[in-house]
Amino acid sequence: EEIVGVRFLIARLSHEVELGVSEAVSEARRSSVSHLRKHLMKTLLRCISLAGYSNLGADEERLVVTLRKIFEHPAMFGGGVYSLASSIVSDMVHHDPNAYATLSRHGLTDKFLATVRNTTMPISSDAVQCVPSTLCALCLQHEGLAKVKESGAIAALASLLLNPAFTKVLHYQDTLPMLGSGLDELVRQHPSLRSTTIAVFVRILDRLCQLGGRSPALGSAPSRRDGMSSRTHRGGGGIGGGGGGDPIRTLALSDLDAEAFWMDVDAQHNNTTAAENEGTAPQDQQRRMDVSTSRGEDESAAQLTDFITNVAKVAETALAGSETARAFSQNGGTELLLHLMTLPKLPSNFASFPASNHVHAALRAIAPGGSTGFAKAVHRELTDQIRKTVALVREPKPTARSSLPSTMDDEGLQPYVSAFSSAQMLVSIAGTMGRNLPSTLQELSAPTNSLLISDLGELLGFVMWHISVLEESVKEG
């Protein structure tokens, strides 16, 4: 029953936090506290977490003030300290919902939400994983739920999926599935956040399709000025505001921090290029630009694939609930997921990438909840891609063996490889869903779809003809 030990732990933690902040501020070269101090602080936080929070009295306020200082300097203390501090906040609210008043009075909730909203949290898998559970705890009180909505924290958290700085930590172990599970739990416990979460995912998928070379489905992107000012206008009508209307339409694309992030990347790239070209001969500048363009295209394709993996793995768990999946399909989310298979900037062999399997898994998870809308979306996307591929096959072209590209890297072969790769992925999805969902099978096997079957047969004949010609040319060679 004695809490003197906990009091000493809190006092020592407060002392170490004060020393860490003062040292890091006084030494301009240091952007974070020392490793040993971080290790000590993590040990103190774990001990405090195990000791419990009953009858803390005045020590509770001292603990809250100390945790607030950690959230004021998240990058300085690192992901481990940040995640443990967040876990303690979550445990405090779950143990005693009235503790939220103390957290709010000392500004801790605002500081924590600011780290999420402004993407100033440490670039760490531990930090990313702890955010959904802490948001869930804060939403237990009506005031906390309102603050989470107004802050745009869900949009900011989801925008990390399109942030190259977080790609490596998101791919660490089970970070992405745990993030998706946390968002799913948040929506289950607080259904009023469902429309916001779905709107955010639809917007992120639309943004991802734009990065892949497809025209936006939900309206044009905002201007640079709008994007830069979006962080200061989060309260009205959109993700956090109280305005009515369709949540998909009222959520502006500029509400996602990913938009401003990409603007910052563009500015940094332009500054770097100008600095590199300063004092360089024009012919050398052109040669450097050609190499940079080629390298940039490869990096862009790899980055796009990483983003698709991020979004698909989180969507697989975050949107798997029946009500969430149904609303997601009704608001066009399924079509956007299917669009990921046909993006113009995808590698031509994307069908063999793990990212395509993740998209397939996300579609399988969402399909049972939104079966009717899902079946129609699969049918539309498959028909559209098959028609495009057939039109490409039917274009006038010489049929002599000598006209066939000799290597897979030939520029003339790439449109065929990309078109057939996209068609292959969609046919695979349609086949899997047709076996598992009666509604998809009925949609695909309707008498009006005879042309689709005919087009598939024509593509099969085209492939078999080329295989035969190439085998014959190999024998003759």
Side-chain angles (χ1 to χ4, degrees):
E1 296 295 332
E2 295 293 333
I3 60 173
V4 176
V6 178
R7 180 177 301 168
F8 286 150
L9 290 172
I10 294 174
R12 183 58 187 269
L13 176 65
S14 177
H15 175 71
E16 295 297 331
V17 169
E18 292 285 355
L19 283 180
V21 172
S22 61
E23 288 181 2
V25 171
S26 61
E27 300 180 22
R29 293 178 299 175
R30 291 180 56 181
S31 59
S32 64
V33 301
S34 66
H35 174 73
L36 291 178
R37 178 162 279 117
K38 285 182 183 179
H39 184 71
L40 175 58
M41 291 173 61
K42 285 189 284 188
T43 302
L44 292 170
L45 287 167
R46 290 191 184 99
C47 291
I48 293 172
S49 178
L50 293 173
Y53 309 103
S54 58
N55 301 322
L56 285 180
D59 295 319
E60 181 180 68
E61 296 197 0
R62 186 173 187 180
L63 175 61
V64 170
V65 171
T66 302
L67 296 178
R68 186 196 64 196
K69 291 180 180 178
I70 293 176
F71 294 135
E72 288 175 350
H73 309 279
M76 186 182 299
F77 293 104
V81 174
Y82 178 92
S83 64
L84 288 170
S86 301
S87 298
I88 290 178
V89 171
S90 178
D91 291 342
M92 289 178 68
V93 178
H94 280 296
H95 183 267
D96 180 14
N98 294 326
Y100 177 85
T102 304
L103 301 178
S104 179
R105 185 171 64 254
H106 290 280
L108 184 145
T109 54
D110 293 332
K111 293 297 181 181
F112 173 78
L113 292 173
T115 65
V116 181
R117 179 183 65 246
N118 299 327
T119 323
T120 56
M121 69 178 72
I123 302 178
S124 161
S125 59
D126 292 334
V128 174
Q129 292 177 25
C130 75
V131 171
S133 60
T134 308
L135 292 177
C136 193
L138 296 179
C139 289
L140 291 176
Q141 295 288 333
H142 292 297
E143 181 185 347
L145 179 61
K147 281 190 175 183
V148 170
K149 289 181 178 180
E150 293 170 2
S151 68
I154 296 177
L157 180 62
S159 72
L160 299 182
L161 303 176
L162 303 185
N163 191 330
F166 281 82
T167 295
K168 185 175 181 180
V169 299
L170 289 174
H171 290 183
Y172 180 74
Q173 293 183 352
D174 295 329
T175 301
L176 288 168
M178 291 185 67
L179 177 58
S181 299
L183 290 173
D184 177 53
E185 186 66 21
L186 181 63
V187 170
R188 288 178 185 273
Q189 293 193 22
H190 308 284
S192 62
L193 296 175
R194 179 176 288 111
S195 61
T196 297
T197 303
I198 292 172
V200 168
F201 269 97
V202 170
R203 276 295 177 181
I204 283 185
L205 285 169
D206 187 51
R207 171 62 174 163
L208 187 54
C209 288
Q210 292 179 53
L211 295 177
R214 197 178 183 105
S215 59
L218 303 178
S220 59
S223 64
R224 284 181 177 267
R225 183 176 180 181
D226 293 339
M228 290 299 185
S229 62
S230 65
R231 299 190 184 195
T232 60
H233 298 281
R234 291 184 174 271
I239 183 168
D246 184 357
I248 302 301
R249 301 302 174 188
T250 57
L251 176 66
L253 186 62
S254 60
D255 283 330
L256 300 184
D257 284 348
E259 185 69 24
F261 176 84
W262 279 102
M263 294 177 183
D264 295 341
V265 169
D266 292 341
Q268 292 173 7
H269 173 74
N270 294 335
N271 293 337
T272 302
T273 302
E276 290 177 348
N277 289 335
E278 186 177 355
T280 307
Q283 61 271 23
D284 294 336
Q285 291 183 17
Q286 182 62 41
R287 189 181 304 111
R288 179 175 294 175
M289 288 176 62
D290 294 339
V291 173
S292 177
T293 300
S294 176
R295 182 177 57 191
E297 291 176 354
D298 294 338
E299 292 177 353
S300 177
Q303 194 174 84
L304 178 62
T305 303
D306 288 337
F307 290 166
I308 291 175
T309 298
N310 296 345
V311 175
K313 292 186 75 172
V314 173
E316 181 182 356
T317 49
L319 305 175
S322 57
E323 294 184 9
T324 305
R326 181 169 61 254
F328 178 74
S329 296
Q330 291 173 349
N331 285 283
T334 301
E335 285 88 343
L336 291 172
L337 265 178
L338 291 168
H339 287 347
L340 298 182
M341 301 290 195
T342 60
L343 297 180
K345 294 184 180 180
L346 285 178
S348 57
N349 59 339
F350 180 72
S352 62
F353 281 39
S356 67
N357 295 329
H358 296 316
V359 176
H360 200 154
L363 289 166
R364 287 201 306 270
I366 295 169
S371 56
T372 303
F374 182 88
K376 294 183 181 298
V378 170
H379 176 241
R380 284 194 299 268
E381 194 70 20
L382 177 62
T383 302
D384 183 59
Q385 182 60 35
I386 293 300
R387 286 176 180 173
K388 290 179 181 178
T389 308
V390 169
L392 181 65
V393 168
R394 290 174 179 173
E395 288 180 359
K397 57 186 181 303
T399 57
R401 291 193 299 271
S402 60
S403 69
L404 294 174
S406 58
T407 65
M408 291 296 291
D409 294 331
D410 192 280
E411 183 179 355
L413 186 60
Q414 292 307 309
Y416 293 90
V417 176
S418 298
F420 275 94
S421 176
S422 297
Q424 171 195 343
M425 289 185 285
L426 291 172
V427 168
S428 175
I429 290 172
T432 301
M433 301 309 167
R435 289 190 297 269
N436 298 330
L437 294 176
S439 59
T440 304
L441 181 60
Q442 292 173 4
E443 184 73 26
L444 295 175
S445 60
T448 55
N449 292 334
S450 57
L451 184 60
L452 174 62
I453 305 301
S454 175
D455 289 342
L456 283 171
E458 183 175 348
L459 293 181
L460 178 61
F462 177 83
V463 172
M464 297 303 294
W465 180 79
H466 273 285
I467 291 176
S468 300
V469 171
L470 289 172
E471 287 179 347
E472 184 178 348
S473 64
V474 171
K475 292 179 181 179
E476 292 179 356

